[in-house]
Amino acid sequence: SQELEQSPQSLIVQEGKNLTINCTSSKTLYGLYWYKQKYGEGLIFLMMLQKGGEEKSHEKITAKLDEKKQQSSLHITASQPSHAGIYLCGADPNTDKLIFGTGTRLQVFP
Amino acid sequence: NAGVTQTPKFQVLKTGQSMTLQCAQDMNHEYMSWYRQDPGMGLRLIHYSVGAGITDQGEVPNGYNVSRSTTEDFPLRLLSAAPSQTSVYFCASSYNRANQPQHFGDGTRLSIL
């Protein structure tokens, strides 16, 4: 079965710093999704990547999918306290079952 | 629109008790799913449904039942609660497939004593 591995598991950065979260799949991805979760809340959809080499940006968050479609990165520029939370990558293995990575907990301190 | 609504938000059960976690969406979504979230293990799919009257098993279905009698509702039933089912449960929905942005509820925090 397909597995998603995220790194790092946790990240503590100073406000204003850039950071990158990685998501690696054991198999080719048909679709890669990034979600954010705030403590005590559900997941909020951030971005979806489907093509090899695709890159999308929303405000200060950029997500990329590599050409082989097995690895994705989420980059945050000039981090802010509002970026704090758990970031999860999800993948579509071309079935009706969406799978998720274990998540990366991000803390941003002033 | 309310989106995806889960009830209750918190619940404590004793081992062996049964209960139903409710999930309702008002977006006319065909695809609905249940996940459990445990520390260090991300989200794991329990059951899912691609439309009314159709359900299927996910990664960790044992100990849980589901039904989909209407498009709007997708309840999750624990038949005989066990401590291993202590978790946070999330319901999600999307237009008609898993490969679309999912809308999540706020979760149900369940403790089994």
Side-chain angles (χ1 to χ4, degrees):
Chain A
S1 61
Q2 187 166 20
E3 294 183 351
L4 293 178
E5 185 174 328
Q6 281 187 241
S7 63
Q9 290 185 340
S10 65
L11 203 51
I12 303 174
V13 300
Q14 188 174 23
E15 183 176 359
K17 297 295 186 182
N18 302 334
L19 63 103
T20 300
I21 298 169
N22 295 302
C23 177
T24 302
S25 170
S26 56
K27 297 181 180 179
T28 299
L29 299 165
Y30 289 92
L32 190 287
Y33 312 84
W34 284 100
Y35 288 83
K36 178 185 176 184
Q37 182 182 25
K38 289 191 174 183
Y39 180 75
E41 299 179 11
L43 281 67
I44 302 296
F45 171 76
L46 294 176
M47 277 174 277
M48 175 173 68
L49 304 166
Q50 293 182 302
K51 299 177 182 178
E54 188 174 8
E55 178 176 322
K56 288 187 177 179
S57 294
H58 177 66
E59 297 180 343
K60 294 186 178 181
I61 300 177
T62 300
K64 301 178 184 180
L65 183 62
D66 74 335
E67 290 288 345
K68 293 184 178 180
K69 297 175 65 176
Q70 285 191 275
Q71 190 165 23
S72 177
S73 62
L74 185 81
H75 184 78
I76 298 178
T77 303
S79 59
Q80 301 169 355
S82 61
H83 288 128
I86 301 173
Y87 290 82
L88 296 100
C89 62
D92 166 27
N94 202 30
T95 67
D96 281 319
K97 304 176 184 180
L98 193 63
I99 61 173
F100 285 90
T102 54
T104 296
R105 184 179 296 272
L106 172 64
Q107 295 174 266
V108 181
F109 64 93
Chain B
N1 286 345
V4 178
T5 302
Q6 289 185 239
T7 56
K9 294 189 182 301
F10 303 92
Q11 184 70 47
V12 178
L13 292 178
K14 294 181 179 179
T15 297
Q17 286 185 315
S18 62
M19 81 159 295
T20 299
L21 307 186
Q22 301 292 344
C23 176
Q25 52 88 10
D26 60 359
M27 297 171 283
N28 203 31
H29 284 171
E30 294 291 336
Y31 185 91
M32 295 186 74
S33 55
W34 276 101
Y35 294 87
R36 58 178 290 174
Q37 185 176 35
D38 302 293
M41 301 191 75
L43 272 77
R44 292 183 292 169
L45 181 64
I46 304 172
H47 285 286
Y48 68 99
S49 169
V50 298
I54 305 169
T55 63
D56 208 342
Q57 295 181 350
E59 182 184 0
V60 288
N62 293 340
Y64 308 95
N65 277 356
V66 292
S67 61
R68 186 91 181 272
S69 56
T70 67
T71 298
E72 295 79 18
D73 300 300
F74 191 43
L76 178 72
R77 281 183 287 275
L78 281 71
L79 302 177
S80 179
S84 61
Q85 294 178 304
T86 293
S87 187
V88 181
Y89 291 85
F90 288 100
C91 179
S93 74
S94 66
Y95 181 61
N96 64 2
R97 290 292 307 277
N99 63 351
Q100 295 165 346
Q102 301 291 313
H103 298 254
F104 281 82
D106 286 337
T108 294
R109 283 144 190 83
L110 182 62
S111 293
I112 315 294
L113 305 179

